[in-house]
Amino acid sequence: MGITGRAVRRGFLAAFLVTAPAFPVDDPDSGSSTGAVAGVILDGQSGRPIQQAVVSVVGQDDRRVLTDLEGQYRMPLPTGTYQLRIEAQSYLPMVLEGVVVRAREVSRVSSVLSSSANSTTVDVVAKVNADAATAESVLVERKLSEVVSDAVSGPELRAGTASDAAGALAEVPGISVVGNQFVYVRGLGERYSATTLNNALLATTEPEKRVVPLDLFPVQLIDQIRVLKTYSPDLPGEFSGALVQIETVQFPARRTLEIKQKAGFNTRTTGKRWLSSPGGGRDWTGFDDGARSLPSIIPSEKRVLRGNYTTAEMQAFGRAFAPNWDLVQVESARPNQSYSIVAGNTFGKLGVVGALTYANALQTANEVRNFYTPPTLRSPRPVLYAGYNYDSYVNGIRLGGVLNAAYQLTPANRISLKNFLSRDTDDETRFFEGYSEDYGNTIRNTRARWVERQIFSSQLEGKHMIAALGNSTLGWQMSFSGANRDEPDLRESLYRKYDEVSPVFYLTTDAQSAFRMFNYLDDQIYQPHLYVKIPFFRGSVGGLVKTGVSYTHRNRDFSSRRFRFNPVNISGIDTGRSAGEILVPENIRPNGYELREDTRSTDTYKARHEVQAAYGMLDLSFGSKWRVIAGVRVERSRQRVDTFDNFVPELAQVNARLEDTDPLPALNVIYALTPRQNLRFGYSRTVSRPDFRELSPFDFTDLTGGRSVIGNANLGRARIENFDGRWEWFPGADQLLAFSFFYKKFKDPIEQTVQATSNLRTSFANAQQANNYGGEVEFRRNLGFLGPRLRQFSLASNFTFVDSEVALAPAQFLTATSAVRPLAGQSRYIFNMAAEWNRPRWRSNSRLMANSVSRRISDVGTFGLPDIYEERNVYLDFVYTFSPREDGKYQIKFSADNLLDNTVRFTQGGEIFRGFQPGRTYSVGTSIAVF
């Protein structure tokens, strides 16, 4: 009998074969003539894994295996060429031809199956050449995804120049990276994004944000990053821009050991003068050895003030601090370096994979920073108020590790444990000098800052297939995430000239001078999750019922202690010397400098956030054309922030409470115009809740002359309606053309404000409303269609247009210069391009990447001062990879970042507010696959 036209069209899906690791089962025989095939079998319309599918060798009835809970299989085979037959209940069978098995290797052979209900003829099979098994898995997942999504695979991550997840995501449509840490998706700031690791929410190391800084995730530890741009009920309801899903390295299909090393230099840092600060003997590891710890003699029960302690005790307290104020100059900054190792194996039913990474990078920024007063009738441009030459030196040390294990109890039951640890330490030294109108002359400032950030995540999860319920799946996960940020002994000194003719600077009595601060943050999340998935087939209608419950419990503790050496009677002390020479023990005395604690009554807060959630959703397929995913999630949120005096907790408390219950519906409709084309529509409601920091009145000033930041205990949540659409066309396995549009309507969005205090202060308030809309175009294709000589070339590019408008409530935003403006951080245009030349004969690959982000508001203008904009830039990067051997086990990689040596510029009313050049970075790395 002949195959029907519909079956032919559905058979095209088999060309989209997925490269995916199989769950570990018994290793193939160690003999030299044995290998294996492994892969995953998916539903061709929904992308769901097909459980208990039979994969067999045609003509050899004794060689067959069943797919597991994830649709994965693995079958040992002698070397040779085979035909594989794939069969599953309610699906058309399929044969894959030309499957080549090589000695001691695992061939990846995966496929998708079409529902038998969508064809009137079921006694035929589609036949596809197995060479298609190398097709891009990311595009398959994207085509079959239930929501609008983008993704970056592990090989793509490591093919670029980025060292962490933040840099890698800059190539995804609609995404720009701010501060090298946070992603802005479709013009929305980091507050409108969320991050999960292995499907679990993450604690954060940032005291001022809930979102996790993505520079904490080295690419060597990542298997894939997905960016979900629309919401479905089984996802957390607190995002609007995107949910970034990070998956760590997966279980290998065979024994694996890979070692990588990289060294590089920056044209404006390496070999140049370098400033650092005194530290400890273990600084190179990113761990302070106690050299920066608060001296043990300092009491914890009372403030260090006169009246609380005797004169002798005050003197002893002050002398307990080391006089480590002065910066240390190094003549030549060392090169950057990084190392990583990934290893994994299977031991019967147990699979184990682990990875370690270490990196050390130095970066100098020689900046110009200016501050202005509002324009006047005589001067239509902002008037210079203070101008500084600002130099910063950051020594970044990163350590990371992954250890995952999984055990297959039975073919229908699996338990896995996944662990992730990342530490990122910044040893930052800054020095700036310039004229300040506040002091009427030139000032000089030095600061030494050591920040240790650590994040740990662990998940124990199980999946169990229930055959009696039509191969339903019961899944559960218990996850814990802990993050802490330790910032010990921030040291700052401020000097000023009293006579512009004299070259001498004198230590001031300003509140930010002779200043030391100790900050510590601990953030923890506990999250149990239970769900059930029940598949069903009713004629031409098939689908899935999914329901689940989850509970998120988040605790945060933050504390800060501030100290200053207060001049009491310093007439005999030469304050024109360095702070390390002035603040020596002999000058810490009742008639010299005396330690005084300036810790404020708002410098400690404890916070708790509980979210109870339940959801139900239907994923329905009508024939071969229509797919509808609909459902609702109900979240009950209880948020509490208590800010108090750490020494007198019962007095002067500021308490913030926020309780809401929100039904969050979602509807996603997918129409398959052809087997190669999808038309998607989505609607959803989501929320954005205040961060703990935004609810707490903790006050901190980062820069002399700059604004301090304080929270607002009266903030409420923002509610967002999201509309999305996308047309996507997949001409081939690794090719794509897509057009997307989006519209978002915000009610009560949280925006920054400036309070009209004696020293301007930044805070937060709910605006009235905001709108955000735009479109995306994405193109990825091999250029062989233009001619056979171009088959080795491919091009990927995307362009995003975004516009937005915020309407501010007059009573809350009296100080704002603009009553209507775009969202802060929103760029109107974002462009990415990657041109690739793959030359198999030379065993080489070249990749040229360009990224451009148009100007965006970085700070909102107030009191007549214009908004501050980060100006447009174009970044050009290049990567060349060469394999000396045919088997690719050895690779050499050369990369060049920022080839155009761009200048980063921030402007205010056409005047330079801030500007610097990060320089070009060149790196050479090697990798060795031992086995």
Side-chain angles (χ1 to χ4, degrees):
M1 298 177 65
I3 191 168
T4 67
R6 177 176 292 177
V8 170
R9 292 195 300 271
R10 299 300 295 168
F12 171 81
L13 287 173
F16 290 97
L17 300 177
V18 185
T19 302
F23 182 79
V25 295
D26 292 341
D27 274 333
D29 185 87
S30 59
S32 60
S33 62
T34 302
V37 291
V40 62
I41 309 302
L42 302 177
D43 182 291
Q45 188 163 9
S46 68
R48 294 188 297 271
I50 300 176
Q51 304 165 353
Q52 300 294 289
V54 179
V55 181
S56 60
V57 177
V58 175
Q60 301 183 34
D61 294 337
D62 58 333
R63 295 191 180 276
R64 60 174 55 208
V65 293
L66 297 178
T67 57
D68 67 6
L69 291 160
E70 300 298 331
Q72 299 173 358
Y73 75 94
R74 190 167 187 265
M75 185 188 332
L77 287 173
T79 57
T81 302
Y82 298 89
Q83 287 185 334
L84 295 185
R85 183 182 179 91
I86 305 170
E87 300 173 283
Q89 185 178 358
S90 302
Y91 290 92
L92 290 172
M94 176 171 291
V95 167
L96 299 178
E97 298 181 324
V99 178
V100 178
V101 178
R102 298 181 176 87
R104 298 185 301 276
E105 293 185 9
V106 177
S107 300
R108 303 298 181 92
V109 181
S110 304
S111 188
V112 294
L113 299 183
S114 299
S115 170
S116 58
N118 296 333
S119 176
T120 57
T121 307
V122 296
D123 59 342
V124 296
V125 297
K127 295 185 178 182
V128 194
N129 192 294
D131 289 342
T134 60
E136 294 280 348
S137 65
V138 168
L139 290 184
V140 179
E141 186 175 0
R142 174 170 169 173
K143 181 183 187 300
L144 302 177
S145 172
E146 60 192 26
V147 296
V148 174
S149 66
D150 298 300
V152 185
S153 66
E156 285 182 293
L157 287 168
R158 289 176 276 280
T161 62
S163 61
D164 53 54
L169 284 172
E171 297 183 26
V172 175
I175 288 184
S176 58
V177 179
V178 177
N180 298 320
Q181 294 179 307
F182 303 105
V183 296
Y184 277 48
V185 183
R186 293 175 164 178
L188 299 177
E190 71 276 354
R191 71 160 50 255
Y192 297 109
S193 297
T195 302
T196 63
L197 182 71
N198 299 320
N199 295 317
L201 288 172
L202 288 169
T204 181
T205 59
E206 300 306 296
E208 298 183 3
K209 305 177 189 297
R210 182 191 300 106
V211 69
V212 183
L214 294 177
D215 62 336
L216 282 171
F217 301 91
V219 296
Q220 292 87 351
L221 305 183
I222 300 174
D223 182 70
Q224 178 179 275
I225 303 177
R226 296 182 67 210
V227 181
L228 308 185
K229 295 180 177 178
T230 58
Y231 160 77
S232 64
D234 55 344
L235 301 174
E238 195 171 358
F239 78 90
S240 179
L243 176 66
V244 178
Q245 294 182 324
I246 301 175
E247 297 288 335
T248 54
V249 290
Q250 298 295 310
F251 302 101
R254 60 182 177 84
R255 184 175 59 168
T256 300
L257 176 60
E258 186 175 18
I259 302 170
K260 293 184 178 182
Q261 175 275 335
K262 185 171 72 171
F265 73 93
N266 179 274
T267 56
R268 297 188 178 273
T269 301
T270 310
K272 303 293 194 300
R273 183 180 73 101
W274 180 263
L275 287 181
S276 64
S277 61
R282 295 204 306 262
D283 284 4
W284 66 274
T285 66
F287 290 84
D288 176 56
D289 63 1
R292 300 174 178 85
S293 298
L294 185 67
S296 59
I297 192 177
I298 302 298
S300 59
E301 69 279 2
K302 288 191 292 186
R303 281 185 177 82
V304 178
L305 294 173
R306 282 189 178 189
N308 290 338
Y309 300 96
T310 66
T311 301
E313 288 175 320
M314 294 292 290
Q315 179 173 288
F317 294 152
R319 291 184 174 182
F321 287 87
N324 51 357
W325 298 88
D326 296 344
L327 304 184
V328 179
Q329 181 169 315
V330 178
E331 292 302 319
S332 179
R334 63 179 177 272
N336 300 333
Q337 55 187 313
S338 68
Y339 308 89
S340 68
I341 180 171
V342 179
N345 202 357
T346 59
F347 308 92
K349 295 182 178 181
L350 176 68
V352 179
V353 64
L356 291 171
T357 181
Y358 170 83
N360 181 206
L362 280 67
Q363 181 65 58
T364 302
N366 305 117
E367 303 186 26
V368 173
R369 291 201 178 188
N370 297 321
F371 295 88
Y372 300 91
T373 57
T376 64
L377 292 177
R378 299 179 60 183
S379 175
R381 285 176 172 264
V383 179
L384 184 65
Y385 180 76
Y388 305 129
N389 291 319
Y390 181 106
D391 298 334
S392 66
Y393 306 83
V394 180
N395 179 10
I397 305 108
R398 175 182 294 155
L399 291 166
V402 165
L403 181 60
N404 296 342
Y407 189 77
Q408 190 88 20
L409 298 169
T410 68
N413 296 275
R414 185 184 71 184
I415 294 178
S416 60
L417 177 65
K418 298 180 180 181
N419 302 282
F420 174 88
L421 174 68
S422 180
R423 284 183 58 87
D424 196 30
T425 301
D426 284 340
D427 184 2
E428 178 186 358
T429 303
R430 82 173 191 194
F431 173 91
F432 70 80
E433 181 179 315
Y435 184 83
S436 171
E437 193 67 38
D438 281 337
Y439 295 94
N441 45 36
T442 302
I443 65 171
R444 176 183 291 172
N445 178 281
T446 63
R447 176 187 282 184
R449 190 177 193 183
W450 175 275
V451 182
E452 295 181 22
R453 299 180 297 160
Q454 176 175 296
I455 185 167
F456 172 73
S457 176
S458 181
Q459 301 106 28
L460 178 65
E461 62 181 12
K463 291 186 178 181
H464 313 277
M465 188 177 67
I466 306 172
L469 290 178
N471 290 343
S472 298
T473 300
L474 171 68
W476 55 269
Q477 183 181 65
M478 294 290 296
S479 65
F480 167 77
S481 178
N484 58 66
R485 177 190 179 98
D486 192 8
E487 190 174 352
D489 204 10
L490 180 150
R491 307 182 293 277
E492 184 169 0
S493 302
L494 182 65
Y495 285 76
R496 61 175 290 190
K497 282 186 178 182
Y498 291 97
D499 182 356
E500 285 298 320
V501 178
S502 171
V504 181
F505 287 82
Y506 297 91
L507 187 67
T508 72
T509 59
D510 189 88
Q512 281 184 259
S513 188
F515 174 75
R516 306 181 89 129
M517 184 165 69
F518 298 78
N519 294 332
Y520 185 78
L521 177 144
D522 183 69
D523 197 42
Q524 297 182 345
I525 293 180
Y526 301 87
Q527 187 183 28
H529 179 206
L530 176 70
Y531 65 89
V532 177
K533 296 191 293 186
I534 306 173
F536 62 87
F537 295 92
R538 296 290 186 273
S540 62
V541 178
L544 182 79
V545 177
K546 184 175 182 180
T547 183
V549 293
S550 70
Y551 173 71
T552 304
H553 182 96
R554 183 175 207 148
N555 285 321
R556 175 181 289 186
D557 293 329
F558 176 82
S559 63
S560 177
R561 295 191 72 176
R562 312 173 195 236
F563 301 89
R564 192 167 73 87
F565 286 90
N566 188 46
V568 179
N569 181 7
I570 58 172
S571 57
I573 299 175
D574 182 5
T575 60
R577 308 184 72 178
S578 70
E581 296 173 306
I582 298 171
L583 301 172
V584 291
E586 54 267 31
N587 288 337
I588 311 302
R589 58 180 190 264
N591 61 343
Y593 283 91
E594 183 178 73
L595 182 71
R596 186 179 74 185
E597 183 164 4
D598 287 340
T599 300
R600 303 169 186 174
S601 61
T602 57
D603 279 355
T604 302
Y605 70 82
K606 291 182 179 294
R608 189 168 103 175
H609 190 191
E610 295 178 277
V611 178
Q612 300 168 332
Y615 64 88
M617 56 185 290
L618 279 172
D619 185 346
L620 298 174
S621 297
F622 300 93
S624 61
K625 292 289 188 179
W626 289 95
R627 184 182 176 196
V628 177
I629 304 99
V632 65
R633 180 186 187 94
V634 178
E635 289 191 348
R636 183 186 181 189
S637 169
R638 290 182 291 183
Q639 204 165 350
R640 172 175 179 170
V641 180
D642 298 321
T643 306
F644 54 91
D645 189 326
N646 192 42
F647 302 104
V648 194
E650 65 277 7
L651 298 179
Q653 282 201 21
V654 179
N655 306 117
R657 302 287 186 273
L658 187 60
E659 296 190 15
D660 296 291
T661 299
D662 293 289
L664 305 173
L667 173 67
N668 288 278
V669 179
I670 305 168
Y671 179 70
L673 295 168
T674 72
R676 306 186 187 198
Q677 298 181 54
N678 283 337
L679 193 60
R680 296 175 176 269
F681 297 97
Y683 168 78
S684 64
R685 291 181 191 168
T686 55
V687 295
S688 175
R689 302 182 179 103
D691 295 336
F692 291 142
R693 173 66 182 85
E694 294 169 346
L695 291 168
S696 171
F698 170 73
D699 192 342
F700 177 67
T701 302
D702 183 58
L703 184 69
T704 299
R707 299 172 186 164
S708 61
V709 180
I710 190 169
N712 175 6
N714 297 314
L715 282 178
R717 75 195 186 288
R719 287 160 289 179
I720 309 110
E721 288 190 279
N722 309 278
F723 303 85
D724 289 88
R726 173 179 282 182
W727 171 79
E728 52 192 11
W729 177 36
F730 300 85
D734 58 349
Q735 301 176 44
L736 167 70
L737 178 62
F739 294 89
S740 306
F741 72 87
F742 55 89
Y743 172 74
K744 300 178 184 295
K745 184 176 181 180
F746 298 79
K747 183 178 181 181
D748 302 322
I750 299 171
E751 286 286 300
Q752 283 193 3
T753 66
V754 177
Q755 297 178 347
T757 56
S758 56
N759 294 315
L760 295 185
R761 194 166 60 183
T762 299
S763 187
F764 309 90
N766 291 102
Q768 289 182 327
Q769 62 181 24
N771 296 298
N772 173 265
Y773 59 91
E776 300 167 344
V777 181
E778 186 176 4
F779 172 86
R780 182 185 302 185
R781 186 156 192 182
N782 180 278
L783 301 184
F785 71 97
L786 298 176
R789 294 185 178 181
L790 296 178
R791 288 176 182 170
Q792 296 174 347
F793 295 89
S794 60
L795 181 67
S797 64
N798 57 75
F799 174 81
T800 302
F801 166 80
V802 185
D803 202 359
S804 63
E805 184 177 281
V806 179
L808 309 179
Q812 296 174 318
F813 296 88
L814 292 174
T815 62
T817 300
S818 303
V820 178
R821 58 167 174 79
L823 287 164
Q826 177 242 305
S827 296
R828 176 162 289 196
Y829 307 111
I830 302 171
F831 172 75
N832 292 291
M833 185 274 293
E836 191 166 354
W837 181 20
N838 186 28
R839 186 72 170 169
R841 182 183 300 177
W842 296 352
R843 300 188 298 278
S844 68
N845 181 277
S846 303
R847 199 177 196 197
L848 182 67
M849 293 159 288
N851 170 264
S852 176
V853 177
S854 66
R855 70 197 308 253
R856 58 193 174 198
I857 296 176
S858 65
D859 295 273
V860 176
T862 56
F863 294 103
L865 274 170
D867 298 328
I868 299 173
Y869 279 87
E870 180 180 357
E871 296 296 333
R872 173 181 174 271
N873 249 320
V874 177
Y875 292 97
L876 200 63
D877 304 326
F878 175 75
V879 179
Y880 175 77
T881 305
F882 171 69
S883 300
R885 291 177 37 157
E886 289 285 351
D887 58 12
K889 288 190 173 182
Y890 301 96
Q891 285 192 344
I892 300 172
K893 180 178 176 181
F894 168 78
S895 61
D897 293 359
N898 191 25
L899 285 171
L900 301 179
D901 197 16
N902 297 89
T903 298
V904 178
R905 294 186 309 120
F906 295 78
T907 63
Q908 188 169 30
E911 302 291 335
I912 293 295
F913 175 80
R914 179 184 174 199
F916 66 97
Q917 286 184 284
R920 301 181 179 94
T921 300
Y922 301 97
S923 303
V924 176
T926 58
S927 65
I928 301 173
V930 179
F931 45 75

